[in-house]
Amino acid sequence: MKFGIIVFPGSNCDHDCYHAVKHVFNKEARYIWHKETSLEGLDCLILPGGFSYGDYLRTGAIARFSPVMSAVAGFAKKGGLVLGICNGFQILTEAGLLPGVLMRNKGLKFICKRAWLKVGNNSTVFSSAYEAGAVVNIPIAHADGNYFADADTMKRLEDENRIIFRYCDKEGNTTPDANPNGSCGNVAAIVNASGNVMGTMPHPERACEDILGRADGRAVFESILRGLAG
Amino acid sequence: MKITDAVIKEHGLAKGEFSRIVDMLGREPNLLELGIFSVMWSEHCSYKSSRVHLRNFPTKGPAVLQGPGENAGVVDIGGGLAVVFKMESHNHPSFIEPYQGAATGVGGILRDVFTMGARPVANLNSLRFGSLDNPKTAFLVQGVAAGIAGYGNCMGVPTVGGEVYFNDCYNGNCLVNAMTVGIVKKDRIFKGNASGIGNPVIYVGSKTGRDGIHGATMASDVFGEGGEERRPTVQVGDPFAEKLLLEACLELFKTDYVVGIQDMGAAGLTSSSVEMAGRGGTGIEIDVDLVPRREDGMSGYEVMLSESQERMLLVARKGAEEDVAKIFRKWDLDVQVIGRVIDGKKVRILEGGKLAAEIPVAALTDDAPVYERPMQRPDWQDGVNSLNMKDVPLPRDYNDVLLKLISSGNIASKEFIYTQYDHMVRTDTVVCPGSDAAVIRLKGTDTGLAMTVDCNPTYCFLDPFTGGAIAVAEAARNLAASGARPLALTDCLNFGSPERPEVMWQFKEAVMGIREACLELGIPVIGGNVSLYNETSGKAIHPTPAIGMVGLIDDIKHHQTQWFKEAKDVIYLIGTGGEGLGGSEYLKTIHGLEKGLPPRLDLKREKSVQEACLTAIKAGIIRSAHDVSEGGLAVAVAEACFNPDGLLGAELDVDIQGLRIDEALFGEAQSRIIVSLRMGDIARLRDICVKAGAPAKAIGAVTSTPCLRVWNLRKWKFIEMDVERLKDAWSGSLERMLHAGL
């Protein structure tokens, strides 16, 4: 069971993801420089958070042209697991591996805080370790997390049960007040149609150890490990 | 170009200084040489007015690996590791262009730390703005916060702590002091040293442009009206380039190619090359034609004085040029050999194949002017120190006072600002912003670091000596309340014009106060920065000697936060009350007075209180610890009720012992920490306090009902407030006030 963590110029949660995989869950992991093109022997790719290419032009818009990205697309097509966190999510939408786009937060400011999330579909390979409808607490840290998709796409995401996390309040109500960035339908994390690519704005790798507060992000990794163990 | 009186003046040099240059060179300098002297002799680079006073700081300690004089100080923390940290000001640029000024301040201090070989692990900042009803304040706050966020977040370095004060005295000069903390292997520390005659001098990072020319000179001048016209002297930051530079440098530091390295900060290529030669006891020759440029037609003068960001100068082992280049090219950065280390202790600049400047290194470093400026206690000092308590009427409603205090700019939650900073990246932040000190863990060890910045400008205005000493004592107290033993401090000394004797008096007093607290508490000064000329149209800021301090937590399990944890826990006060309301937030907010004398500081008492608190936390019996500071006991207890996991209440019984009620509730007597603990641990706490020589007494209990009640001898009820209401006032008020100001 081997994880690959892609390092774009400007990635800055690469070490955090590596630490979670390698030292919290004791699984093999290696960094993949964005100019590499072979993803041989890997079971799960993580596109970490950060500011690839400084977020210049538009978040993720330049990184999608990195040489590694065509390999990532091929890997996903063959059913490999791909997890995009924060900037990773933004890159996946720019690359067309996930629908929609992440716009500037409605308040126009960067927001770093712990967010309450309601678990949607818990039958995916990224969410099976959560209880359906559970209310969990995972940090967010982004300036561009305002998920937008047109009405048809939103309907498809709903109908196909592809929303994994929605922003909510402590009691689990997905109200506009509980929406920190203006996302359509309070969307915080989605999967692709085949369920093997997930994009999440909340950072599960920041919530894997009790010493850092509630460890509600662990279940994302536990789900993946369970899925890979088959 | 002829060197006229006007040209000399434009370069910020005094006439006497120019004659001194002529004497040193034995001839008149040309324009390039004049430019080099002007930046190297600027207050910002030369410390010419402050140097004689800074010698008073205790800088040594058994764990100090590097004191002042390098890019940053270094302290041994055991296990083969060392912590590197420094704080630096970016005040003038931030007032002119808040976003870029603050952003490049963060960029500069990060480079100071990673140039030592360390990976930056945390940022902090100390910010000062004018009053909240000043029309410019909201604009500056928003710009500075966004600039710090824009740079630090992109770098992937968490901004874990800081402090923000508002005061009229900063209406014309805001203060932006940025601090970075890094971790390095003890045997892999790099220094800014140019040695080895013939070794190549290599330029790495971004290209050089025309931005920031004479930034150091601007930072060494007062503002008049229309200071914004200096906007072109503010540099523009590119955090993405710096992130690449950081990773490339850290990759380089794993090799043995580097002899010395220094960032190009204030005075750019000039100061980095001159200072490296100075420390190495060598000379440096640079061919400006080889310097990578962003635009055509730049003169040697512009190249040497540019303060373009995200650049480093390094001296490598001869023959390693290509190996060094490979690393930087991987990260798409410019890398270019631009000169070499030479014999003869001179800096030589070549342009167009000709010698364009030649100056002895010492003339720019050791032999730069040092002034013993005249000092005089201000004639207004007695006036502001006099406070007749009879003129301060007792309030009728203490609930109302508490509500006003807790929602005042200096006490209210700074959440609106710090939620813009990524404070969790690196997954090490154990205590996030909002508690007494931030705490990070060190992966792969059982230890952690606590860090804080502190300075109460009102105290320093009323008595700079005591204010300076309290800044050190309170920073150390914040660390003790978090479970950490202070290791060392860095300072950022922000003052008005040194050419005014009363400012120099304030400076000297503050330095001596810091010195006394350092000596008594055993905390060395390992680096810092002086920012003078913080005044506009003749009005200086309050003396603001900001203190940044880092402490070590031996066992990260035993760190502490300020929030009560469980109902029925007993609340203890370590320390005692004290008389006086001078300099308090209460006096300023409720009575509109910034007067009197600041609280007394008994350093022996301070030491024993900190010792008792730290020992009790290490013994595992303390459930929360919070330093009593602005707003006094009532505010401290209210803040302790704001547990982020769920509000709690407190029932307090205060014996006012002959004090006025407002003194007992809102006075800011020093050396006090409130702790909470289980009933069964009281005897152990008492024992620990007796051994440490610290007074302690039970003052109340934590309640599950979120209500704060303060009684006097179980008879009179001074305060009865819903904690939810207090929390709302505290957490939302800054944003409301700033929005009102926009």
Side-chain angles (χ1 to χ4, degrees), chain B residues 90-98 101-102 134 136 139-140 144 170-176 223-224 227-228 231 234 536:
Chain B
H90 231 215
N91 305 335
H92 290 76
S94 300
F95 188 73
I96 296 171
E97 210 302 289
N134 177 32
K136 198 166 179 182
F139 162 76
L140 287 173
V144 166
Y170 303 111
N171 280 348
N173 296 79
C174 64
L175 303 185
V176 174
F223 285 148
E228 291 82 353
R231 198 167 287 138
V234 179
T536 295

Side-chain angles (χ1 to χ4, degrees), chain B residues 608-667:
Chain B
S608 66
V609 166
Q610 292 185 18
E611 183 64 38
C613 181
L614 191 53
T615 311
I617 290 173
K618 282 186 177 173
I621 60 172
I622 298 297
R623 312 251 281 162
S624 76
H626 187 19
D627 145 55
V628 179
S629 60
E630 285 83 4
L633 189 64
V635 165
V637 174
E639 286 172 343
C641 293
F642 304 156
N643 188 320
D645 293 331
L647 302 180
L648 289 162
E651 199 85 31
L652 229 58
D653 197 354
V654 179
D655 178 3
I656 64 173
Q657 287 182 322
L659 298 180
R660 285 167 54 124
I661 302 165
D662 51 2
E663 272 178 333
L665 295 177
F666 310 116

Side-chain angles (χ1 to χ4, degrees), chain A residues 68-146:
Chain A
V68 75
M69 284 309 291
S70 38
V72 171
F75 182 86
K77 203 168 175 191
K78 279 190 270 171
L81 301 190
V82 180
L83 171 62
I85 303 170
C86 200
N87 191 225
F89 186 4
Q90 294 160 344
I91 296 168
L92 291 175
T93 61
E94 286 289 338
L97 292 170
L98 287 171
V101 64
L102 292 143
M103 305 190 302
R104 180 51 53 102
N105 295 343
K106 66 178 173 192
L108 305 180
K109 288 191 169 61
F110 191 98
I111 308 169
C112 175
K113 64 174 191 181
R114 300 190 72 94
W116 294 103
L117 305 169
K118 186 157 185 164
V119 177
N121 185 348
N122 75 329
S123 61
T124 75
V125 68
F126 299 102
S127 60
S128 65
Y130 287 106
E131 307 251 332
V135 176
V136 299
N137 189 268
I138 298 178
I140 55 168
H142 58 249
D144 301 86
N146 181 354

Side-chain angles (χ1 to χ4, degrees), chain A residues 116-118 133-136 167-175 178:
Chain A
W116 294 103
L117 305 169
K118 186 157 185 164
V135 176
V136 299
Y167 301 108
C168 65
D169 62 19
K170 210 173 170 179
E171 282 72 44
N173 306 303
T174 53
T175 60

Side-chain angles (χ1 to χ4, degrees), chain A residues 50-60 62 87 90 144, chain B residues 154 240:
Chain A
F51 290 71
S52 58
Y53 292 95
D55 275 358
Y56 298 152
L57 186 60
R58 197 172 63 239
T59 56
I62 304 177
N87 191 225
Q90 294 160 344
D144 301 86
Chain B
C154 186
F240 174 57

